[in-house]
Amino acid sequence: MLDLETATGENGGTERLQNPTSDSATAGALAMRVSRFERSVKQLAPADSVALAAETETLPQNIGVLVVLDPSDAPEFGFEALVRALEGRVERVPVYTHRILEMPFGLDHAYLVADPAFDVRQHLHRSRVPAPGGLRELTELASRLFAPCLDRSRPLWEMWFLDGLADGRVALLYKVHHCLADGVALTGLAQLLFDLSAKPAADRPRDVPQLADRDEGPLSDADLWLRAAENTLQRPLELARVGLSLLRQQVAGATEPRDDAPRTPLQVPATVFNGRVAAGRGYSCARVPFADVRALREHFDVTVNDVLLALASGAVRYYLASRGELPDGELVVSVPVSERSTSHEFTTDNQLTHTTVAFGTHLADPAARLRHIHESAAAGKRRARTRDVNVLSSVGRILAPGAVQWLMRLAAPLGGDLPLPVNLTVSSLRATPFPLYVAGARLEHVYPMTVLQPTQGLGITAVSYVDTVYFGFTHTPELLPDPWVLAEGVEKSLSELLTTRSAARRRRPAD
C-alpha cells in the first residue's frame, strides 16, 4: 500500500484516515453540540443517507475524476495557483464547507453542518507521479489515493495535485463522497469549480448548471430529536407503501408481456470479478473519439448510451475471452438512470434509480450485440419510468442508518456467497462540450472513477468531454488481474463496429 505521508509530499501534511463508521459516543457528542455552531444545517435525503451508512473500509463510497491538465499556456500555473483559484469558489458551495453530523446510534439520517474550522488547504494535497511518469504510473498512484475512505471530521471531499508526468502536464484527482453527489451532480460541481476560459470572464454560458441547494436554517437539539422521532414513526408506513407498490407491479406484470422482465439472480453467471471486494482499488482507462460514437449511433439508429454500453460489453467480453473465462450465459448490468429534471438549476443530492440491462456478452457479432443491448436498454428505461419505487430512497425511508450499517457489516464476510443480481454497474455521463480550465491550465483529459458494490469487483463509467469519450475501469485488484486488457477491449470493440458500418455502407449502393 502507498505510504500516504510520502504521497502527501510538499503540502507538509499527512492524510489522516478515519474509520467510516464512527462510534456512537462520538456521534452523540456531535449531535448534542449542534446548537453551538449556530449555523444552518441540511438533513441528508434518504438515498444519500444510505450511501453514507453503507460505507465500510472495504467498500468506500467515493466517486471522482482524474483530469490531466495542459499548463503550457499558463506559466504561473502550480499548486499555489490552484489553491488561489479554488479558495474563493468552494465557500459558495455548501457541500464543500459542510461536514457530516451523525445522530447517536444511527437513529436518523445524518446532517450537513457548516464547519466553522473549514480551510480549503486541508482538502488540497499534492504528490508526484513515479518515473517514468506515464499513464499507467499516474493511474496506479491515483487509484491508491482514491481508495481510502474520506475523513468524516471534515467536509467529505479532497483534491490531489499530481505532477511529475513525462510530458510536463499535471493531473488532478478530484474525490467526493457519494452521499454528497451522484455522477451528474459531480460534473455540475466541477463546472462550478473550474473556469470556462484561461482568463475567465464574468459571463457564463447557459450550459453551466446553477446550484439550487438550500439549507434548512438553524435547528436546535430538540428539533433534531423531534425529526428523528417523526422519521422513525414513518418507517412502518413507508414499508407498507413500498410493499403495496411492489405487489401492484407483480400483479400488473402477470397480465402483461414479460419480454423485458429483469433476470433473476439464478440466471446471472458469475465471473472472475464477482466475489468479495477488498479494500484496495485499481484503475485502468481508455478513450475513443466522440465522432465515431455519433457515427455508430446514426448508422444503427440507436442512442449514444447504447453505443457506450456496447463498447463496454465488447471490452468485458474481450477480457473474459482472453482468459478463457467467457461464460455461456449472458452477463447482466445495472445502469443508473437519472431522475433529475431538465431545469438549469441542480441540487447535489443523489437523484438516481437503477435498471437492469442484458449485456449481450454471449453474442460474437458486434452489430447483433449492439442491437440486443439497444432493445434491452429501451425496455429497462420503460421499467424505470413506470416504477414508482426508488430502491435506495425507499431503503433509506424504511431502515434507520444504524440498521443499514449493521446489515453491511453482516454481509461483508459473505462476499462471493451472496446472490448475484447483476455482474457490474455501467454508467455514462455527459460533461461539457466546451473545454474547462483550472488557474489557466486547460483540462485535456477526463477519466471517471466510481464506487464498487458488494460482489462487484468492477465498475465501468464513460464520460464524454468536448470531442472524446473516456472510459474508466475501477476495480479491486484481487478480483481483476490485467485490467488494461479492458482498455484494449474498448478499442477493439469500436474497431469492430466501425468495420461493420463500413462494410454495410459499401454494400448499400448494390442494394
Side-chain angles (χ1 to χ4, degrees), residues 89 190-208 210 432 434-438:
R89 300 183 183 210
Q191 293 176 49
L192 295 178
L193 279 184
F194 302 152
D195 300 318
L196 303 174
S197 66
K199 295 180 179 180
D203 295 335
R204 299 171 70 82
R206 296 180 61 188
D207 302 51
V208 177
Q210 302 300 312
T432 66
F434 44 82
L436 298 174
Y437 297 80
V438 180

Side-chain angles (χ1 to χ4, degrees), residues 302-348:
V302 295
T303 68
V304 167
N305 285 342
D306 295 335
V307 177
L308 299 182
L309 281 170
L311 295 180
S313 172
V316 171
R317 176 185 165 85
Y318 177 73
Y319 176 84
L320 294 174
S322 71
R323 296 174 53 85
E325 297 177 353
L326 180 65
D328 294 332
E330 179 180 14
L331 303 192
V332 179
V333 297
S334 173
V335 177
V337 179
S338 177
E339 296 184 319
R340 295 179 183 275
S341 69
T342 56
S343 169
H344 188 54
E345 290 189 329
F346 79 102
T347 59
T348 58

